[in-house]
């Protein structure tokens, strides 16, 4: 069977009712370019057992953007950030594409952790929500790839 097309932009309408007013909000799913690449090719990659090679060969830019977006703390070394889940700190070096539990010698300052808020639509798919007040917000989600 042929591959399915990239995930369509699906719209789900929801209705909210209050005692004084009635309105409708919409929620639209938008696939990232990275997710569309995967949906279009994953079956072929599975058949040829090339998934790992494909990621390693042609998707390093996306992997680096994804990992960097998950950094919770920046450091004095502009190529190193910290992925900290509260239990374990992992140092990611974006130039060497390496993960280490030990603090690199180049890191002397670690900024306080901040909330991780992905916002790169080329990497993260999202739901776009148009509220009753007309306000549009995006709810980014983890890539299908991960």
């Amino acid at each position: 069977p042929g591959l399915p097309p990239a995930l369509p932009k699906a719209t789900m309408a929801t209705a909210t009712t209050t005692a004084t007013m009635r309105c409708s909000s919409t929620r639209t799913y938008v696939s990232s370019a990275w997710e569309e690449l995967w949906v279009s090719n994953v079956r072929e990659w599975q058949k040829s057992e090339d998934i790992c090679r494909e990621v390693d060969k042609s998707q390093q830019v996306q992997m680096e953007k994804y990992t960097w977006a998950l950094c919770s703390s920046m450091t004095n070394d502009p190529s190193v950030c910290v992925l900290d889940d509260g239990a374990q700190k992992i140092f990611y070096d974006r130039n060497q594409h390496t993960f280490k539990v030990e603090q690199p010698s180049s890191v002397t300052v670690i900024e306080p952790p901040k909330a991780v808020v992905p916002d790169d639509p080329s990497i993260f798919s999202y739901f776009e929500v148009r509220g009753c007040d007309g306000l549009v917000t995006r709810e980014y989600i983890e890539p299908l790839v991960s």
Side-chain angles (χ1 to χ4, degrees):
L3 294 172
L7 293 176
K9 292 182 180 178
T11 301
M12 297 172 278
T14 58
T16 305
T17 306
T18 65
T20 58
M21 67 178 256
R22 183 178 187 138
C23 69
S24 292
S25 62
T26 59
R27 185 175 167 122
T28 304
Y29 181 78
V30 180
S31 292
S32 69
W34 195 20
E35 183 176 73
E36 289 177 2
L37 173 71
W38 271 81
V39 169
S40 298
N41 293 290
V42 70
R43 286 195 180 139
E44 179 183 326
W45 295 337
Q46 273 181 315
K47 281 186 220 170
S48 62
E49 299 180 2
D50 281 346
I51 290 178
C52 292
R53 188 173 355 168
E54 192 61 40
V55 169
D56 189 47
K57 176 179 75 172
S58 68
Q59 296 173 39
Q60 284 299 313
V61 170
Q62 292 94 332
M63 292 295 292
E64 191 279 325
K65 284 181 175 182
Y66 172 70
T67 304
W68 197 255
L70 297 180
C71 294
S72 53
S73 296
M74 302 313 288
T75 71
N76 63 294
D77 181 336
S79 67
V80 178
C81 73
V82 182
L83 300 138
D84 186 349
D85 65 3
Q88 178 72 55
K89 287 183 182 176
I90 298 174
F91 295 86
Y92 173 64
D93 186 317
R94 76 186 318 176
N95 291 340
Q96 297 179 21
H97 305 288
T98 56
F99 296 89
K100 295 181 180 174
V101 177
E102 306 84 32
Q103 183 170 323
S105 60
S106 64
V107 173
T108 57
V109 176
I110 301 173
E111 294 178 3
K114 61 176 178 44
V116 173
V117 183
D119 63 357
D120 184 342
S122 73
I123 301 299
F124 295 90
S125 299
Y126 60 90
F127 286 101
E128 188 168 85
V129 180
R130 182 175 301 277
C132 295
D133 58 1
L135 182 66
V136 177
T137 58
R138 289 184 175 175
E139 299 170 3
Y140 286 90
I141 61 172
E142 187 173 3
L144 172 69
V145 179
S146 64

